[in-house]
Amino acid sequence: MAVMTGSPSTHRVGDLNITWTDVGPFLALAALLVVGFLINPDFLSATNLANVITRSAFIAIIAVGATFVISSGGLDLSVGSMAAFVTGITIMFMNAVAPHAGLWAIPAGMLVAILVGLLCGLANGLIVTIGRIEPFIATLGTMGIFRALITYLTDGGTIPIDRSLREAYRPVYFGTVGGVPIPILISVAVAAIASFVLYKMKYGRKCAAVGANEDVARYSGISVIKTRTIAYIVQGVCVAVAAICYVPRLGAATPTTGQLWELQVITAVVIGGNGAAWRQRSCLGNRRRRRHSGADRQSHGAVGLRLRVPGRRGSGRHHHHRDAHSEVLEFEIAPRPDHTGASLQVQSGRRKCSVKNGWLRPRSARCC
């Protein structure tokens, strides 16, 4: 068996297993901090740094959801418009419920925000997976739809939150716990939960597998449609959480809320090192992958494998032949016509064996 090896595209830093790609973002951040300090020494004060990080918490929370989408090979350009739409719906609901429910309108509005964000993410996921539209085109369209909806709801103006709810809602953004602003704590909690899902749960591995190679993941029995749809749902929920934290900051929703957030989110994910799945789906990534993988030439046909394995010794009539104690096994994996699975056929001499249910599925493939 031939093994292909290649040299890394980046240089190692000393004897440590760290590349310049890993330390590059931190060096850029350090340079920005130095420049800011030289312009104004108060830039590195604890108050100013806490303010900067708090204002960036919205992007951090949405970037957590974008990590799932990009890891699964997708892209979402509608997060900024979705945040504006969810914010507007949340404020309108709380204003309508406040005269009857009082302060209970705040937690009820939070639940509505989560539900609306979930439905928006589900819509994006279904358009991309069931509709088979490229994520860039699909989410570019929904970005315009969400922005048009919030513009219609606000009539080109603003939707302010009810005065009776402002003081009770302010601590969600302006409050602190142990001196740490609440939005920072929320972003850390969201990131911790997402890290556990990505690295410790099966869905995280499925998400990475789908983003690495969609065909291989499908032939392995992973539901690509389900995996990517859930990723977009997670993205919608993260947008809703960011909108919940954003409402008390300005106390209103406008048609310009969340503008260009999608670019900041994508930048955060790529700088964080999670953009490899989307690069593989780009033109350059596809050319590189096809050049180094011969299997892609047969991605829509059968892939065969021929092995010779040792057999059991015995006193059969063919024991005097050279290959008496070896057996040739032929495996053939063929994609299902509807691209939802693959058939497996094993042939050994005159004997032929195939999966009874016809298609590969985890823990369900049985051979006769």
Side-chain angles (χ1 to χ4, degrees):
M1 178 182 296
V3 179
M4 297 181 62
T5 59
S7 59
S9 59
T10 54
H11 299 284
R12 300 291 176 180
V13 179
D15 296 331
L16 300 178
N17 191 24
I18 301 176
T19 65
W20 287 113
T21 304
D22 298 328
V23 301
F26 297 98
L27 294 177
L29 177 61
L32 289 175
L33 293 177
V34 171
V35 171
F37 176 77
L38 294 177
I39 295 175
N40 188 347
D42 293 334
F43 181 79
L44 293 182
S45 63
T47 302
N48 184 68
L49 291 179
N51 181 44
V52 171
I53 298 174
T54 301
R55 296 183 62 178
S56 302
F58 314 123
I59 304 301
I61 295 172
I62 300 176
V64 170
T67 301
F68 286 87
V69 173
I70 295 180
S71 296
S72 65
L75 186 68
D76 194 348
L77 297 177
S78 66
V79 292
S81 300
M82 188 191 303
F85 177 67
V86 173
T87 301
I89 294 295
T90 302
I91 293 178
M92 291 178 65
F93 177 83
M94 289 192 297
N95 291 346
V97 175
H100 310 285
L103 296 181
W104 286 103
I106 296 177
M110 293 180 179
L111 294 178
V112 170
I114 297 295
L115 178 61
V116 174
L118 187 150
L119 293 177
C120 292
L122 177 62
N124 281 338
L126 293 179
I127 293 173
V128 171
T129 57
I130 302 299
R132 296 185 179 278
I133 301 176
E134 279 296 319
F136 183 90
I137 302 300
T139 57
L140 185 64
T142 55
M143 177 180 68
I145 293 174
F146 294 143
R147 188 65 66 182
L149 289 174
I150 185 61
T151 303
Y152 171 78
L153 293 175
T154 60
D155 197 20
T158 62
I159 304 179
I161 191 173
D162 191 271
R163 291 181 177 274
S164 62
L165 303 177
R166 290 185 179 181
E167 290 300 324
Y169 204 167
R170 281 178 59 86
V172 174
Y173 178 82
F174 296 99
T176 60
V177 176
V180 181
I182 290 179
I184 298 178
L185 297 177
I186 294 176
S187 62
V188 171
V190 171
I193 296 173
S195 299
F196 178 81
V197 173
L198 281 175
Y199 299 117
K200 299 298 182 180
M201 297 184 66
K202 292 182 179 178
Y203 175 74
R205 298 190 180 120
K206 291 180 180 180
C207 201
V210 170
N213 194 312
E214 180 180 338
D215 293 332
V216 172
R218 182 183 294 112
Y219 297 156
S220 300
I222 298 176
S223 176
V224 177
I225 293 177
K226 181 179 178 181
T227 302
R228 281 191 177 149
T229 302
I230 293 177
Y232 280 98
I233 292 176
V234 172
Q235 174 75 94
V237 173
C238 289
V239 170
V241 174
I244 291 173
C245 297
Y246 179 83
V247 169
R249 181 189 175 192
L250 299 179
T254 66
T256 60
T257 299
Q259 276 191 342
L260 299 181
W261 279 13
E262 55 274 358
L263 299 182
Q264 299 180 48
V265 168
I266 294 174
T267 301
V269 175
V270 173
I271 290 178
N274 294 308
W278 180 252
R279 288 197 297 270
Q280 289 181 355
R281 291 175 57 87
S282 65
C283 296
L284 180 61
N286 286 336
R287 290 181 61 186
R288 186 184 302 113
R289 184 173 57 183
R290 289 191 180 98
R291 188 168 61 247
H292 292 288
S293 177
D296 283 350
R297 295 194 301 269
Q298 300 177 346
S299 60
H300 297 288
V303 178
L305 180 64
R306 185 182 179 93
L307 298 177
R308 184 178 296 276
V309 297
R312 293 181 298 178
R313 295 184 177 273
S315 59
R317 58 178 180 174
H318 299 296
H319 70 279
H320 56 279
H321 293 293
R322 182 178 60 179
D323 295 331
H325 303 300
S326 64
E327 186 176 13
V328 176
L329 297 181
E330 295 182 357
F331 299 86
E332 184 179 87
I333 302 178
R336 193 173 178 178
D338 57 0
H339 302 288
T340 58
S343 62
L344 173 65
Q345 188 178 83
V346 183
Q347 185 171 355
S348 173
R350 296 181 179 179
R351 294 173 295 173
K352 199 172 185 179
C353 181
S354 61
V355 178
K356 286 186 176 180
N357 60 6
W359 311 111
L360 278 173
R361 285 288 182 267
R363 301 182 182 178
S364 65
R366 297 176 297 168
C367 193
C368 56

